[in-house]
Amino acid sequence: MDPREVLLGIDLDELAAPKRSMSNAQKNKDKDDDVDVLEQVKRLRKTVEHDHNQRLRGIEINIRWLMVLVGGEVLAIVGFALSSVASV
């Protein structure tokens, strides 16, 4: 099973809501477990967002460099064309 499907299928409100018809010890244990799972999901979300932001920044930098190189290539072609026309 794909972990993304599991995370997308989790209802975070349901995790945070207290359970009914259980003993107090069971409720406290389940509440602690729910809080732990909720904190882990939040931490995972921050990690994924940070990772995606880093990757997107890297892609942006690569695109900027590509545009600089393409601009230089266009200038070289136009310069060559002008010099060949002017020399005739």
Side-chain angles (χ1 to χ4, degrees), residues 77-87:
I77 291 171
V78 169
F80 177 74
L82 288 175
S83 67
S84 65
V85 168
S87 66

Side-chain angles (χ1 to χ4, degrees), residues 46-84:
K46 287 180 184 177
T47 301
V48 169
E49 287 176 351
H50 179 71
D51 184 44
H52 285 171
N53 285 338
Q54 283 183 328
R55 289 182 182 186
L56 287 176
R57 266 189 247 122
I59 291 170
E60 285 178 22
I61 290 169
N62 289 339
I63 289 174
R64 287 180 186 159
W65 273 109
L66 181 65
M67 293 308 297
V68 167
L69 293 173
V70 167
E73 191 72 27
V74 168
L75 285 175
I77 291 171
V78 169
F80 177 74
L82 288 175
S83 67
S84 65

Side-chain angles (χ1 to χ4, degrees), residues 1-11 44:
M1 177 177 263
D2 188 9
R4 291 172 291 184
E5 291 177 10
V6 173
L7 289 176
L8 290 175
I10 291 178
D11 184 15
L44 178 64

Side-chain angles (χ1 to χ4, degrees), residues 35-53:
V35 170
D36 290 342
V37 170
L38 187 59
E39 290 300 318
Q40 289 176 1
V41 169
K42 287 180 181 178
R43 195 170 357 149
L44 178 64
R45 179 180 176 185
K46 287 180 184 177
T47 301
V48 169
E49 287 176 351
H50 179 71
D51 184 44
H52 285 171
N53 285 338

